Amino acid sequence: MNVCSIHIFFGKETKNLNKMAATMKNILLFGFAVILVIAGLGEVNGAGECGKANPDMEAFKLAPCASAATDENASVSSSCCAAVKKLGQNPKCLCAVMLSNTAKSSGVKPEIAMTIPKRCNIADRPVGYKCGAYTLP
């Protein structure tokens, strides 16, 4: 074999190895994507605190509570109380919503937000319910 035939021989082998590596990479990426989809299905089927609903999306329902959740002296509107009462039927969900990323990014102060059910005079509120580092009064 001369130098040219060795280069052609190994050049073809290198191309084949590159094709195999690219194929293997695509198979691994596809497998990883399948695993992510399967893992995500558990959440979509209602494994979360709010059933099928995402706490970050549920937080938008508490928009009428924006000022009451940042200022303990602010009055609490009837629409806020109605939304809190509805979410409060599931204390885990109410807690998840009050501690959600949406609530945090909206400026909600959890220690103040936790007082809203009491400020609304909701009789059947979950008094003493532990919500992260907070307790519902």
Side-chain angles (χ1 to χ4, degrees):
M1 270 187 161
N2 64 27
V3 174
C4 287
S5 41
I6 291 173
H7 177 70
I8 292 171
F9 177 76
F10 284 113
K12 287 181 182 177
E13 288 300 315
T14 302
K15 286 180 185 177
N16 286 339
L17 287 174
N18 286 340
K19 277 186 178 180
M20 285 175 46
T23 302
M24 198 61 158
K25 180 180 176 184
N26 288 337
I27 290 171
L28 289 172
L29 286 173
F30 178 75
F32 185 69
V34 168
I35 290 170
L36 287 177
V37 168
I38 291 170
L41 288 177
E43 291 181 31
V44 173
N45 289 331
E49 296 90 346
C50 297
K52 292 181 180 180
N54 180 327
D56 281 305
M57 297 307 292
E58 291 295 296
F60 290 109
K61 293 178 181 177
L62 295 182
C65 302
S67 61
T70 57
D71 178 6
E72 61 189 329
N73 296 317
S75 62
V76 185
S77 68
S78 59
S79 56
C80 170
C81 290
V84 169
K85 183 170 181 140
K86 187 172 183 179
L87 275 177
Q89 292 172 355
N90 177 352
K92 285 183 182 179
C93 182
L94 180 61
C95 178
V97 168
M98 288 184 175
L99 298 177
S100 69
N101 289 328
T102 300
K104 288 176 193 170
S105 65
S106 299
V108 168
K109 296 177 182 172
E111 65 277 8
I112 296 173
M114 299 298 161
T115 67
I116 292 175
K118 182 177 181 178
R119 290 162 54 199
C120 287
N121 295 315
I122 298 173
D124 59 345
R125 68 184 185 274
V127 176
Y129 186 81
K130 288 295 227 181
C131 187
Y134 309 96
T135 303
L136 288 168

